[in-house]
Amino acid sequence: MDEQLPDVQASEPDVEVGLNRVGVTGVTKLVELARPDKRPIVLTAEFEVLVDLPSWRKGADMSRNMEVVDEILEDAVTEPTYRVEDVCGEAAERLLEKHDYTSKAEVQMEAEYMIKDETPASERPTQATVDILAGATATDEGTREKIGARVTGMTVCPCSQGMMSETARRKLEDLGVGDEEVREFLREVPQAGHSQRGHATLTVESEGAPEVNLLELIEVARDSMSARIYNLAKRPDEDHMTFEAHANAKFVEDCVRDMAEGVVAQFPDLPDDAVVTMKQSNDESIHQHNAHAERMAELGTLREEVADD
């Protein structure tokens, strides 16, 4: 009879310091999501599977983390699974059960997702790429699940546009155009401003299932920027996007605030203690740095702030 192999992970470490997050990252798996009366959606997803580690234990059982992920994904294939956050939630709860030394288990998932789209002027069918963000944290007090997305759009800087508008006003006056005509022209024709590609990230986290429609969440994030962008764009579409973006110039801070307003309006039935995370990062076109803004708050707080406007 073979001797039992030693469990080195269960021994005491040389330095007895507890760790918050220990596990595996970069785990790629296929996830199949069922849809009523439609073909399932198959995602190539990347997982992080993590637990906390007490100070008296040398290491975590990494193989158990992988075992749990494989079990959950096999269940998702054999039984209908409609929401990626549920996959993460079940995995986190099983991790907590299998690791008797841990008090918290986390599962995070990210996957690329294609949605059907239509160009704004030529009305041609196309597709848009978004990143699905899902996760769950399980403790003895319960499980919190998270769902969200990261989308790409276009923004225009109001500050540079204001300077260009003033330049246009002075030039029109020099040409003898009357004050009223100048004001009307500037109202009707938005002036140039430096533009950038923007990246909006929006997630909602709550106890149990957040009951958030992912596609509605994606719409809120896409509408938070100056204009949407499209993989396919004929000349009328390019004209539409350029005009729309410059007619709706926004700072990076404005995008986050518009996300907050959109979530409050779109999800009236979500509980006040749901945690909303909103991030906007802009790839600046005239600077070597990028612009960033973010806010994390309970939905009840956002509702109060939006109502006060």
Side-chain angles (χ1 to χ4, degrees):
M1 184 175 179
D2 294 336
E3 294 184 4
Q4 186 175 4
L5 296 175
D7 187 0
V8 179
Q9 291 98 324
S11 63
E12 293 184 4
D14 295 332
V15 180
E16 294 192 8
V17 173
L19 305 176
N20 297 111
R21 305 172 83 226
V22 177
V24 292
T25 64
V27 180
T28 304
K29 296 289 182 180
L30 286 179
V31 178
E32 186 173 301
L33 299 177
R35 293 188 295 174
D37 303 322
K38 293 183 179 180
R39 289 183 299 174
I41 297 171
V42 179
L43 302 172
T44 302
E46 185 171 300
F47 287 86
E48 292 184 356
V49 184
L50 305 160
V51 297
D52 64 345
L53 191 67
S55 61
W56 49 265
R57 186 178 173 93
K58 190 175 185 65
D61 293 312
M62 301 292 185
S63 61
R64 290 186 185 179
N65 294 359
M66 293 299 298
E67 182 183 14
V68 167
V69 172
D70 284 334
E71 287 176 358
I72 292 297
L73 297 183
E74 284 301 317
D75 289 346
V77 172
T78 57
E79 298 178 7
T81 299
Y82 295 95
R83 296 161 14 116
V84 287
E85 59 268 42
D86 289 343
V87 174
C88 295
E90 291 179 26
E93 290 170 358
R94 291 196 192 182
L95 281 170
L96 201 62
E97 293 174 2
K98 285 184 174 288
H99 296 74
D100 55 5
Y101 52 82
T102 191
S103 60
K104 183 177 70 173
E106 294 180 57
V107 176
Q108 305 292 334
M109 189 213 81
E110 184 170 327
E112 191 175 78
Y113 180 49
M114 301 296 293
I115 59 175
K116 291 183 178 180
D117 212 350
E118 185 180 86
T119 55
S122 61
E123 298 181 343
R124 297 194 177 197
T126 183
Q127 295 181 340
T129 305
V130 303
D131 293 323
I132 297 176
L133 309 174
T137 302
T139 66
D140 291 336
E141 298 177 356
T143 303
R144 294 184 67 86
E145 293 183 357
K146 176 181 68 178
I147 185 65
R150 182 170 56 246
V151 305
T152 304
M154 177 180 176
T155 62
V156 171
C157 176
C159 183
S160 67
Q161 187 181 62
M163 291 185 288
M164 291 300 294
S165 294
E166 179 59 23
T167 299
R169 184 188 64 79
R170 290 198 301 265
K171 183 62 177 178
L172 289 168
E173 289 175 349
D174 291 343
L175 292 172
V177 180
D179 291 345
E180 182 58 36
E181 287 80 5
V182 170
R183 285 192 293 269
E184 182 178 355
F185 174 80
L186 294 177
R187 279 196 304 267
E188 296 297 325
V189 182
Q191 297 303 294
H194 74 84
S195 60
Q196 45 270 323
R197 181 176 293 180
H199 309 277
T201 303
L202 177 59
T203 64
V204 176
E205 179 183 7
S206 69
E207 187 80 22
E211 296 298 337
V212 173
N213 184 301
L214 176 60
L215 292 179
E216 293 177 358
L217 204 66
I218 290 171
E219 294 297 295
V220 171
R222 293 184 77 187
D223 286 338
S224 68
M225 290 173 275
S226 296
R228 296 187 177 196
I229 60 175
Y230 300 83
N231 285 333
L232 172 67
K234 304 296 286 183
R235 280 185 294 180
D237 302 311
E238 293 179 359
D239 179 68
H240 176 95
M241 286 185 281
T242 303
F243 188 94
E244 182 180 14
H246 284 79
N248 191 28
K250 293 183 180 183
F251 290 120
V252 67
E253 299 92 337
D254 296 323
C255 298
V256 174
R257 293 181 175 119
D258 283 355
M259 269 190 270
E261 185 178 45
V263 169
V264 168
Q266 188 66 44
F267 302 105
D269 297 328
L270 279 178
D272 281 342
D273 64 354
V275 176
V276 182
T277 301
M278 302 155 288
K279 299 179 182 180
Q280 179 71 28
S281 294
N282 290 345
D283 301 334
E284 292 285 347
S285 58
I286 64 170
H287 305 294
Q288 290 186 329
H289 58 262
N290 295 326
H292 183 85
E294 62 181 83
R295 172 74 186 279
M296 182 173 68
E298 289 190 344
L299 186 53
T301 301
L302 295 179
R303 284 174 173 145
E304 292 177 359
E305 294 181 11
V306 170
D308 288 340
D309 288 344

